[in-house]
Amino acid sequence: MKRLSILALVLALACPALAQAPKTGGTLNLRLREDLPQGFAIHESPTISTLWPAMPCFSNLVLFDPAKPTHSPETIIGELAQRWSWQDDSRNLVLFLRRDVTWHDGRPFSAADVVYTLDLVRETRDAGKLRMNPRRDLFANVASVEAVDAHTVVIRLKRPQPSLLMMLASGFMPIYAAHVPPAAYRTGCIGTGPFKLKEWRRGEFVEYVKNPDYFVKGRPYLDGLRYTIIRERGTATAALQTGRVDVAFPGDTPKLIADQLNQASPRIVTTPVGTAVVDHLLFNAGKPPFDNPKLREAVSRAIDRRAYIEAVYQGGAAIGGPMAPRPYGVWSLADSDIRGQPGYGTAADEKARARALLAAAGFSASSMKAEFVTRNLPGFLELAAFLAGELKRVGIDVAVRPIDSAQWEAIKVRGEFQLGADRTGMEPDDPDVTFYESYGCGSPRNYEHYCDPALTRLFDQQSQEVDPARRLALVQTIQRRLGDAVVRPTLAWRLDYFARWPYVKNLTPHHSIYGWGRLQDTWLDR
């Protein structure tokens, strides 16, 4: 008996998680950087400002494992789908659904809800209308979605597509209730997730309570969640330090703030992770003057990427191309290819080439003027200020125009801009998401209105390639072609230093800010 007690003590010291069972109860206090731009309508939203506070309400068919920081095919687990099977040479995906799920209003969940949601996103029938549909083109290869019975769904593809499960696992792919109009999610939320919406007081907070009928028995551990809207970063940092909030907003703790937190409050835990968010330039390539690729190249060469990372992120970001750089992604260009892109050489050489390109296009010193748009949030305004200064050094005079978040997406989709800068989430880390969503001809998120049919054929070719090495080679060819065309040039892939108090347990930040906000396994040790 004594020997067993000693063994238990050794195991507890070596593995503290074994010594402490999760505690139930309590409310987790979280910060929001702004009010929900699209309410809880995740399918109409491209932003973490909607996704993070809406995720606890919903469930996906499949999801990336909350306990594992990397999003990959190997980390996909079932949620509403208990299991799945590829059939007919990977052209049909059959999903077998849970039978013990109810919506927050008491109605039973069924295959009809899955068919409805996927048809809504694909815009293939009169299933209601999405105001914006950022992910429509991701599912262009889906031929049909059919309910075999109340608990079995088959997704039929036009051709093989290895990325399909990855896209379904994204936090941006929740299942909606077929009996709830899509517009209703802009103001409320009926989901199947671990928490039920109690109140959304606009401009102040979002509050959830535990869902007693959640299909994962014994979850969630928490009694509730409260998201407080705190726009200003200094106020948000103080709220974390004083314990007014328990965790930071994902993607909004840069290195400088993390260093300040570690110095002022050493007990706060900061974890460096990727974000799957890329800072990039925006050109309206559909109309003058930036339909001229040489002018786009001049602007891109004017921006010193290394100085950008130091000035805006104090070194807390990574240089990369259209796909996330290693070790945060697996599809990146080689370093030598990245260094060959406009803007990655020495600052003096790049700016000299920028001036020469402007002169060749007929612009004398300081004669080119443009409006520069960005989102009206502190981080966006910081990057816009740096970029405006860089452009001024080569003779481009820009006037920065901040756009409120509620209008930001619509302004970009309609092409009501000349030049700007944005941060775009690429979730999940798969080329189909990046290429079809950001560069596909006619995609709502192809804000530049750039269309190259030859590139589109390459998108399709890599998408159906099942051999990983051959697919990687195609993906890198595409990235080089995009670099040559100077379409949506990358500025940096930013990192996050996610901060939380140590009493917050089972909350693992991922290398993507999109997809770990369900919070059913999180608990408080206090």
Side-chain angles (χ1 to χ4, degrees):
M1 189 69 158
K2 184 176 180 182
R3 187 175 299 170
L4 285 174
S5 298
I6 293 172
L7 177 60
L9 178 61
V10 170
L11 287 172
L13 291 172
C15 219
L18 295 177
Q20 190 175 21
K23 297 178 181 178
T24 59
T27 296
L28 182 67
N29 291 291
L30 308 99
R31 177 227 170 183
L32 292 181
R33 66 180 181 182
E34 61 179 336
D35 211 347
L36 286 67
Q38 289 83 31
F40 304 87
I42 291 178
H43 284 302
E44 295 183 331
S45 178
T47 175
I48 187 67
S49 294
T50 296
L51 181 65
W52 177 246
M55 268 197 79
C57 178
F58 290 106
S59 305
N60 283 29
L61 288 168
V62 293
L63 192 70
F64 294 110
D65 189 337
K68 297 177 180 176
T70 301
H71 291 184
S72 71
E74 292 71 35
T75 62
I76 293 174
I77 60 174
E79 200 167 25
L80 291 173
Q82 286 186 305
R83 56 190 178 90
W84 51 91
S85 172
W86 283 104
Q87 299 180 1
D88 301 320
D89 295 323
S90 297
R91 280 182 166 81
N92 294 332
L93 177 63
V94 182
L95 299 121
F96 303 93
L97 309 178
R98 297 185 67 111
R99 297 169 179 266
D100 56 350
V101 181
T102 57
W103 293 97
H104 291 163
D105 60 5
R107 295 201 188 188
F109 160 77
S110 75
D113 299 302
V114 177
V115 174
Y116 166 81
T117 300
L118 294 178
D119 280 354
L120 180 68
V121 173
R122 295 167 57 233
E123 298 183 352
T124 58
R125 69 176 195 179
D126 186 18
K129 182 67 175 175
L130 294 175
R131 181 181 289 168
M132 293 185 292
N133 192 352
R135 285 160 291 279
R136 179 195 66 197
D137 288 17
L138 298 186
F139 298 95
N141 184 44
V142 174
S144 64
V145 183
E146 302 166 15
V148 177
D149 57 42
H151 299 98
T152 310
V153 172
V154 57
I155 301 176
R156 302 189 187 279
L157 303 179
K158 301 170 187 175
R159 54 168 172 74
Q161 188 175 17
S163 65
L164 180 62
L165 270 173
M166 290 277 287
M167 294 189 294
L168 292 175
S170 165
F172 282 117
M173 278 306 298
I175 298 302
Y176 276 11
H179 63 279
V180 175
Y185 286 105
R186 299 170 196 157
T187 55
C189 192
I190 299 295
T192 57
F195 295 93
K196 300 173 71 171
L197 181 64
K198 179 182 179 181
E199 183 179 4
W200 173 24
R201 189 173 296 177
R202 291 176 184 268
E204 296 184 37
F205 64 83
V206 175
E207 191 169 1
Y208 286 97
V209 295
K210 178 178 185 173
N211 177 11
D213 301 314
Y214 187 48
F215 53 85
V216 180
K217 302 310 174 189
R219 303 290 193 282
Y221 294 122
L222 297 166
D223 287 336
L225 309 169
R226 185 181 177 91
Y227 298 79
T228 301
I229 298 165
I230 308 174
R231 272 185 71 93
E232 205 275 318
R233 272 186 174 173
T235 307
T237 301
L240 184 62
Q241 287 176 319
T242 59
R244 182 185 169 200
V245 297
D246 304 312
V247 300
F249 185 81
D252 212 44
T253 307
K255 188 174 184 296
L256 180 63
I257 291 179
D259 291 343
Q260 293 171 352
L261 285 170
N262 289 332
Q263 186 172 13
S265 305
R267 290 183 58 231
I268 291 178
V269 179
T270 56
T271 306
V273 286
T275 61
V277 175
V278 58
D279 294 5
H280 58 85
L281 293 169
L282 276 178
F283 298 108
N284 191 331
K287 58 185 179 183
F290 294 111
D291 57 343
N292 182 344
K294 293 301 182 183
L295 280 181
R296 300 198 297 267
E297 183 181 347
V299 171
S300 186
R301 289 193 183 278
I303 310 301
D304 183 345
R305 267 57 169 188
R306 291 168 183 83
Y308 176 85
I309 288 172
E310 287 302 320
V312 178
Y313 294 114
Q314 298 75 48
I319 285 174
M323 301 298 300
R326 295 179 179 85
Y328 312 108
V330 299
W331 302 98
S332 176
L333 284 168
D335 288 344
S336 57
D337 285 323
I338 293 172
R339 287 194 298 270
Q341 298 292 318
Y344 290 92
T346 63
D349 290 346
E350 291 291 318
K351 284 182 169 56
R353 295 183 69 176
R355 293 186 190 98
L357 287 164
L358 288 169
F363 291 95
S364 59
S366 301
S367 68
M368 185 175 183
K369 300 183 184 299
E371 183 181 74
F372 192 100
V373 298
T374 197
R375 193 171 174 182
N376 190 18
L377 286 173
F380 287 74
L381 296 174
E382 289 168 9
L383 68 89
F386 177 87
L387 297 175
E390 287 286 275
L391 294 176
K392 193 172 185 64
R393 290 184 178 92
V394 300
I396 303 174
D397 187 14
V398 299
V400 175
R401 179 165 71 101
I403 308 294
D404 287 340
S405 290
Q407 288 80 44
W408 179 233
E409 187 68 11
I411 290 288
K412 293 184 295 180
V413 170
R414 293 196 297 263
E416 295 175 357
F417 66 93
Q418 281 185 305
L419 172 65
D422 199 9
R423 289 171 170 167
T424 297
M426 297 299 182
E427 168 62 17
D429 179 38
D430 188 275
D432 280 8
V433 174
T434 298
F435 296 155
Y436 287 118
E437 190 172 310
S438 297
Y439 306 99
C441 296
S443 168
R445 296 195 78 188
N446 181 350
Y447 308 126
E448 290 83 357
H449 300 280
Y450 178 85
C451 179
D452 183 344
L455 267 178
T456 300
R457 288 190 290 272
L458 281 176
F459 296 168
D460 293 342
Q461 187 179 346
Q462 66 79 28
S463 177
Q464 61 190 307
E465 179 54 68
V466 295
D467 180 86
R470 286 199 291 266
R471 190 178 183 212
L472 176 61
L474 285 166
V475 168
Q476 294 192 336
T477 295
I478 291 168
Q479 291 183 84
R480 285 189 287 268
R481 292 272 295 272
L482 289 169
D484 293 341
V486 200
V487 181
R488 198 175 289 199
T490 299
L491 297 169
W493 288 84
R494 64 192 180 103
L495 307 181
D496 186 34
Y497 296 78
F498 183 73
R500 63 172 176 84
W501 281 95
Y503 54 76
V504 179
K505 304 295 185 182
N506 279 9
L507 182 59
T508 302
H510 291 194
H511 289 310
S512 165
I513 58 176
Y514 309 100
W516 50 282
R518 198 75 83 219
L519 304 178
Q520 76 272 25
D521 297 320
T522 302
W523 56 281
L524 299 175
D525 182 22
R526 58 179 179 185

